[in-house]
């Protein structure tokens, strides 16, 4: 029996099948506001002017490595209704931070925070703070999913980093505008 109902929305995953997103690597993510609402500020003369909500998103982004010791941050931009950023998952920085002075560090497994958990944290922490400020607890701030791209080489990293840096200047041509 076929249970397919064309009237029911079937979410399709953008993830690479079989790929372990907790692997060390460079990841480009785009996260959009619910209903593409312009919530984080405005673009003026090709520059992003953050409002108090955009400043919260920027702060939460900057704090991610404090919550996820396997995370380093690359380029990032808050746009009026979405964000772009590069998340670097690395386990090298954990080994440096576990030392116990002159005593050898205890052997312990490295935390395995994957990309989806890191993005979930960013969305949860920022939504909670913004909704508290707006007095709108529980309201959806972010769309349910996010876009990601595995950055596979230096050339791709440079292209994406430039895209992120120049995104405010190209706002008029942005598909999220």
């Amino acid at each position: 029996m076929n249970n397919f109902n064309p009237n029911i929305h079937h979410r399709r995953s953008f993830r690479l099948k079989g790929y372990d997103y907790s692997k060390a690597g460079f990841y480009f993510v785009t996260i959009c506001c619910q209903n593409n609402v312009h919530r984080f500020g405005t673009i003026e003369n090709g520059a992003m002017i953050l409002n108090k909500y955009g400043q919260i998103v920027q702060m939460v982004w900057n704090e991610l490595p404090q919550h996820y010791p396997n995370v380093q941050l690359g380029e990032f931009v808050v746009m009026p209704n979405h964000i772009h950023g590069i998340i670097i998952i690395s386990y090298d920085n954990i080994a440096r931070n576990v030392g116990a002075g002159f005593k050898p560090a205890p052997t312990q497994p490295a935390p395995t925070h994957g990309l989806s958990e890191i993005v979930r944290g960013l969305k949860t922490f920022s939504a909670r703070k913004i909704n508290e400020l707006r007095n709108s607890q529980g309201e959806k701030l972010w769309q349910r999913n996010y876009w990601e791209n595995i950055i596979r080489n230096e050339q791709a990293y440079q292209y994406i980093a430039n895209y992120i840096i120049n995104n405010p200047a190209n706002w008029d041509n942005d598909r999220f505008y």
Side-chain angles (χ1 to χ4, degrees):
M1 172 184 253
N2 185 347
N3 291 331
F4 178 76
N5 181 342
N7 298 321
I8 296 175
H9 175 68
H10 294 278
R11 289 184 56 211
R12 115 187 138 108
S13 176
F14 296 103
R15 312 293 169 257
L16 182 61
K17 282 191 184 212
Y19 187 83
D20 179 2
Y21 284 90
S22 65
K23 272 176 66 169
F26 291 66
Y27 301 93
F28 170 48
V29 296
T30 298
I31 308 170
C32 296
C33 283
Q34 182 71 15
N35 301 320
N36 285 319
V37 173
H38 291 209
R39 186 145 347 252
F40 303 132
T42 60
I43 303 287
E44 295 179 15
N45 299 319
M48 181 62 193
I49 309 301
L50 297 177
N51 62 20
K52 57 189 172 185
Y53 308 133
Q55 291 169 2
I56 289 172
V57 173
Q58 179 76 55
M59 178 190 69
V60 171
W61 170 266
N62 290 335
E63 291 174 351
L64 283 175
Q66 296 170 26
H67 300 283
Y68 304 100
N70 60 320
V71 167
Q72 297 171 28
L73 302 174
E75 284 72 15
F76 176 72
V77 67
V78 178
M79 297 296 288
N81 61 352
H82 67 280
I83 63 172
H84 295 297
I86 295 175
I87 295 174
I88 304 158
I89 297 178
S90 169
Y91 295 99
D92 294 341
N93 56 330
I94 293 174
R96 288 193 297 269
N97 294 331
V98 177
F102 291 110
K103 297 178 184 175
T107 304
Q108 61 187 35
T112 56
H113 300 295
L115 185 63
S116 63
E117 184 176 347
I118 296 160
V119 169
R120 180 199 52 79
L122 172 69
K123 290 167 79 171
T124 300
F125 300 147
S126 59
R128 191 174 296 144
K129 289 176 187 285
I130 290 170
N131 283 339
E132 185 177 299
L133 191 61
R134 294 175 55 224
N135 197 24
S136 60
Q137 284 74 4
E139 187 175 311
K140 287 183 107 181
L141 176 68
W142 300 105
Q143 287 184 358
R144 182 173 177 186
N145 212 346
Y146 63 95
W147 284 271
E148 56 73 20
N149 185 8
I150 302 162
I151 302 174
R152 299 178 191 267
N153 57 46
E154 180 66 27
Q155 181 181 4
Y157 182 91
Q158 290 303 320
Y159 177 82
I160 292 167
N162 287 332
Y163 173 81
I164 292 170
I165 292 165
N166 294 315
N167 205 240
N170 294 319
W171 177 241
D172 290 339
N173 301 321
D174 196 303
R175 68 185 184 137
F176 296 110
Y177 178 57

